[in-house]
Amino acid sequence: MARRIAIFDTTLRDGEQVPGCGLSKNDKLKIAKELEALGVDVIESGFPISSPGDFESVRLLSKEIKNSSICALSRAVKNDIEIAARALEGAVRPRIHTGLGTSDQHVFTKLNFTREQVLEKAHECVTHARSFVDEVEFYAEDAGRTSNEFLAQVVEVAIAAGAKVVNIPDTTGFCLPEEYGAKIKYLVDNVKGIENATISAHCHNDLGLATANSIAAIINGAGQIECTINGIGERAGNTSLEEVVMVMKKHPELALETGINTQLLFPISQMVSQTMCMPVQPNKAVVGSNAFSHSSGIHQDGVIKNRDNYEIIDPYEVGVNKSSIILTARSGRAALNFRLIELGVHLGKEELEETYQHFCELADRINVVEDKDLKHLVKNHSVVVK
């Protein structure tokens, strides 16, 4: 039996923190409805104490979203928690996400606390949040740089106070996958009561390791991944939802599954990109414009013969219409003939060879050869049109 991994989407909270990506409450509702349709388990909808707009957005989503849990962020501050609880009124499955820093860097230079005070605050904030909602998630900010021994102490206190989810953020994207996976395993093996809570992985991409770290976490016992559409987020971004979901889908030997409808991944990627004015890099895994495009002649020939030669994901699995054979100076005869046939143009062997020579000259000049260019190339040949 495959183990079910919960998908916690924070596009509307962590993703919105990107400069220039602010959203109106109606924009948030539009994206939230698509996240709900996608099958996301938890939607982190905002940080209610931060602004009246964020408060109203969380309140709106709490009323409108029925199939996903609505989560609101707070600091380990009573007023934060109370405002979050007010914003979540009406939610079918409200969750308060509260916590504080646990690394020496955060404890001693940001919070100016002792470790004992951190433990007290952890207990206090979870206890207070539990007086408002059943689902409380505790975050140990900068857990990636927190010693495993102290992190285990904090997590144990949070669970004893009633936290149902314990979030282990690699806030600075510092950890290596082996290190982060071992940290999760340490908690599984050493925290009293860990069986009563879900461990959540929240990874940032400062070193390009967010997806790898999240996968290492679930292999080692985490039950939830916190991620965003297109990997949008602070600095270099967060774990990419589409990447972790497709890693699990393409590796059945992991025996892990999610509730995500993967055919909606590309459409929601496009919608989030447009709504948040945040372009998706062309070579972005799974949803980038080049993810299913081929321009090398060797690759094109292989894909034409059998898609599995160079594509481990069927484009239809993620909502892309089809693979693209892009004609460039690196394309071969097979790709040229394939594209001509798509246009209803059938050339004999000699005609194809002659056309190919002209094609190579043209491709050197204009870089990418489009359909209109192909029609011009063959206009002087005797062709059979479907």
Side-chain angles (χ1 to χ4, degrees):
M1 290 287 291
R3 181 164 61 94
R4 177 72 149 71
I5 302 298
I7 297 298
F8 175 115
D9 184 275
T10 185
T11 302
L12 303 180
R13 199 278 299 171
D14 215 334
E16 197 201 16
Q17 292 175 191
V18 175
C21 289
L23 297 167
S24 69
K25 67 179 183 180
N26 289 329
D27 286 335
K28 282 197 171 188
L29 180 60
K30 179 174 72 170
I31 293 174
K33 285 187 175 293
E34 295 302 316
L35 291 171
E36 183 181 36
L38 182 64
V40 163
D41 298 282
V42 185
I43 299 172
E44 188 166 45
S45 51
F47 185 12
I49 194 70
S50 66
S51 73
D54 239 29
F55 178 89
E56 290 301 327
S57 295
V58 175
R59 172 169 279 188
L60 177 63
L61 269 58
S62 296
K63 293 176 179 177
E64 296 290 336
I65 301 300
K66 305 302 179 187
N67 297 320
S68 302
S69 175
I70 297 298
C71 179
L73 185 73
S74 82
R75 294 167 298 179
V77 176
K78 284 190 174 182
N79 191 47
D80 276 32
I81 293 166
E82 289 162 10
I83 295 296
R86 279 176 47 203
L88 289 167
E89 288 174 1
V92 174
R93 287 173 49 215
R95 178 184 294 189
I96 293 177
H97 189 190
T98 187
L100 72 166
T102 55
S103 67
D104 285 354
Q105 181 75 26
H106 280 229
V107 172
F108 302 130
T109 70
K110 175 185 170 184
L111 299 173
N112 293 315
F113 278 6
T114 64
R115 285 185 167 183
E116 290 71 27
Q117 286 175 304
V118 170
L119 295 173
E120 290 170 10
K121 272 289 184 183
H123 184 272
E124 179 185 292
C125 71
V126 172
T127 301
H128 195 50
R130 279 284 284 123
S131 70
F132 297 103
V133 298
D134 288 333
E135 280 190 24
V136 174
E137 177 171 342
F138 174 81
Y139 64 83
E141 189 177 8
D142 205 22
R145 294 190 295 175
T146 302
S147 73
N148 290 349
E149 293 78 12
F150 182 60
L151 182 62
Q153 284 183 269
V154 178
V155 168
E156 192 166 302
V157 166
I159 293 172
K164 291 188 177 179
V165 181
V166 285
N167 179 11
I168 312 302
D170 184 23
T171 305
T172 61
F174 177 75
C175 289
L176 295 172
E178 295 84 355
E179 179 185 11
Y180 190 66
K183 187 176 291 285
I184 301 301
K185 184 68 164 58
Y186 184 89
L187 298 177
V188 170
D189 293 341
N190 293 280
V191 172
K192 181 181 178 182
I194 195 68
E195 68 279 2
N196 300 318
T198 299
I199 299 176
S200 185
H202 180 113
C203 299
H204 282 260
N205 206 38
D206 298 72
L207 294 175
L209 294 170
T211 292
N213 282 341
S214 296
I215 296 301
I218 55 177
I219 288 173
N220 282 281
Q224 176 178 279
I225 293 177
E226 307 195 2
C227 46
T228 62
I229 301 298
N230 300 331
I232 191 171
E234 288 270 8
R235 304 181 312 279
N238 288 49
T239 300
S240 167
L241 183 151
E242 56 275 7
E243 291 176 14
V244 290
V245 166
M246 292 310 295
V247 167
M248 286 183 267
K249 187 170 185 178
K250 292 286 105 180
H251 284 275
E253 74 278 6
L254 296 177
L256 301 168
E257 64 181 12
T258 70
I260 298 298
N261 178 353
T262 62
Q263 291 185 325
L264 299 179
L265 288 174
F266 183 72
I268 195 171
S269 164
Q270 294 291 292
M271 189 266 278
V272 167
S273 173
Q274 292 162 11
T275 305
M276 301 184 78
C277 301
M278 191 71 171
V280 179
Q281 66 191 65
N283 63 325
K284 169 75 174 63
V286 183
V287 293
S289 59
N290 289 346
F292 300 99
S293 297
H294 306 275
S295 66
S296 160
I298 294 172
H299 286 215
Q300 290 172 334
D301 180 57
V303 168
I304 290 167
K305 289 173 177 173
N306 187 321
R307 182 187 58 77
D308 289 344
N309 281 324
Y310 289 102
E311 289 183 359
I312 61 168
I313 300 172
D314 186 328
Y316 293 100
E317 284 186 273
V318 297
V320 176
N321 288 333
K322 63 177 182 178
S323 302
S324 299
I325 300 296
I326 309 299
L327 295 182
T328 69
R330 290 160 299 285
S331 298
R333 294 166 182 78
L336 174 62
N337 194 44
F338 177 82
R339 282 284 300 279
L340 287 171
I341 291 172
E342 283 193 324
L343 294 174
V345 177
H346 296 256
L347 300 182
K349 186 176 180 180
E350 291 182 3
E351 290 175 314
L352 176 61
E353 183 60 33
E354 182 181 346
T355 301
Y356 179 68
Q357 298 307 318
H358 292 300
F359 161 79
C360 289
E361 295 172 4
L362 178 63
D364 276 335
R365 293 200 309 272
I366 67 172
N367 194 18
V368 176
V369 179
E370 306 287 356
D371 288 351
K372 60 180 174 50
D373 305 310
L374 289 180
K375 291 174 182 177
H376 180 74
L377 278 177
V378 300
K379 71 177 182 179
N380 294 322
H381 290 292
S382 173
V383 297
V384 178
V385 181
K386 289 182 180 178

